[in-house]
Amino acid sequence: PGGHYQFNHSTQELNKIAPYYYWSSSIEYAGNIPYLLSKAIKPSEAPYTLLGATFAQFIRLYSDFRYYHQRRSHTWAFRVSGGFIAAYGNTTVTPYSKQFFIGGSNSLRAFRLRELGPGTYITPTVNNRNYCDQTGDIKLEFNAEYRFNIASYLKGAAFLDAGNIWLLEDTRGPNEEGKFDPSGFYKEIAVGTGIGLRIDFEYFVIRLDGAFPIRKPIKDSGFQWTFKTLNFSNASWRSENVVFHLAIGYPF
């Protein structure tokens, strides 16, 4: 039990090609009223339950700002987004479905869905392309994309994505990685770039993006720029680094 408030604002004008911005922010909270009632009735029995299950108590903040510089033949699109979630009171862990993740077709496209983070942590199953499941309490992300017309309904794009997720209190792995450090988190920002093709019917978009990381975590070495190791002619390198995404709609 809880509440969710979301604010959206856009300066886009319909049927007009002109620069505009879009901003969305939300706050979500849960468990406060059941916690206060339970504490008043049974003050010494925490953590409290509801219908036999321990209920979550947390606050979640998220903000997403986008700017589109539109022209008839091309568009510059930018997005800056970030979020924070923290458990308190009745629980020490936030619900999995409310935690943040990064990577995938609408995020850092040089990484697979939930592959990156938290922080410098590298999951031991990262080479298993079928399953990645990294989540965090804090998320920062930046995206820039240049969209241009090719012919009729066919359009292209070149993009740059950056960001990561972090844990608020916990760590991952034997080296205790992943915790957010206000003084050094910027050193753990991953960066990827790539190109894409889109079939844009205005009301329906089919998108194919190909991307690769230019800054990523290296085992036992932290985050490193990878310009010196780029080797598109090497099949092994392409298998480990180039990621393709087939999706519906634009990423943002």
Side-chain angles (χ1 to χ4, degrees):
H4 182 192
Y5 175 79
Q6 181 166 328
F7 171 81
N8 300 313
H9 177 66
S10 175
T11 61
Q12 183 179 19
E13 298 181 55
L14 296 179
N15 302 318
K16 183 177 181 180
I17 299 177
Y20 71 95
Y21 71 83
Y22 166 85
W23 178 41
S24 175
S25 288
S26 65
I27 178 172
E28 185 175 1
Y29 52 89
N32 295 332
I33 293 178
Y35 180 79
L36 292 175
L37 292 175
S38 299
K39 191 172 183 179
I41 298 172
K42 299 178 180 180
S44 61
E45 296 187 10
Y48 304 109
T49 62
L50 183 64
L51 301 178
T54 302
F55 58 84
Q57 191 174 6
F58 67 88
I59 184 169
R60 186 181 193 270
L61 307 174
Y62 184 74
S63 188
D64 183 329
F65 180 84
R66 308 175 185 182
Y67 176 74
Y68 302 88
H69 191 78
Q70 287 187 320
R71 290 293 184 263
R72 291 191 179 276
S73 61
H74 65 273
T75 297
W76 283 98
F78 302 92
R79 176 175 65 178
V80 179
S81 61
F84 167 87
I85 187 171
Y88 61 94
N90 200 52
T91 50
T92 59
V93 179
T94 55
Y96 170 80
S97 61
K98 300 297 181 180
Q99 295 172 8
F100 297 102
F101 60 88
I102 205 163
S105 62
N106 297 323
S107 183
L108 266 73
R109 285 160 279 184
F111 298 88
R112 293 164 180 81
L113 185 67
R114 293 186 172 90
E115 176 185 351
L116 181 64
T120 59
Y121 177 73
I122 301 176
T123 174
T125 61
V126 70
N127 291 325
N128 181 356
R129 303 306 186 188
N130 297 320
Y131 183 77
C132 292
D133 194 24
Q134 302 307 310
T135 58
D137 306 313
I138 298 173
K139 175 182 177 180
L140 291 175
E141 183 175 348
F142 170 79
N143 311 92
E145 186 166 280
Y146 177 65
R147 302 168 182 171
F148 53 92
N149 297 337
I150 298 178
S152 185
Y153 296 111
L154 181 62
K155 299 183 178 182
F159 53 84
L160 180 75
D161 304 319
N164 205 342
I165 55 173
W166 293 268
L167 300 172
L168 189 60
E169 296 292 343
D170 296 332
T171 59
R172 296 274 174 86
N175 296 325
E176 298 184 345
E177 301 164 310
K179 186 175 181 180
F180 182 78
D181 179 5
S183 64
F185 72 91
Y186 63 91
K187 299 177 183 178
E188 300 175 350
I189 297 292
V191 183
T193 187
I195 57 176
L197 291 175
R198 292 88 193 274
I199 301 176
D200 186 348
F201 298 107
E202 295 185 358
Y203 59 91
F204 187 78
V205 177
I206 301 175
R207 171 169 54 96
L208 175 63
D209 288 333
F212 58 94
I214 56 177
R215 191 169 192 269
K216 67 176 184 178
I218 306 297
K219 187 175 181 180
D220 300 324
S221 299
F223 274 81
Q224 302 288 331
W225 292 100
T226 62
F227 294 110
K228 294 182 179 180
T229 62
L230 299 180
N231 189 356
F232 293 97
S233 62
N234 185 285
S236 178
W237 182 91
R238 294 197 304 270
S239 176
E240 294 179 4
N241 292 276
V242 179
V243 180
F244 291 98
H245 299 282
L246 181 63
I248 303 298
Y250 283 98
F252 58 92

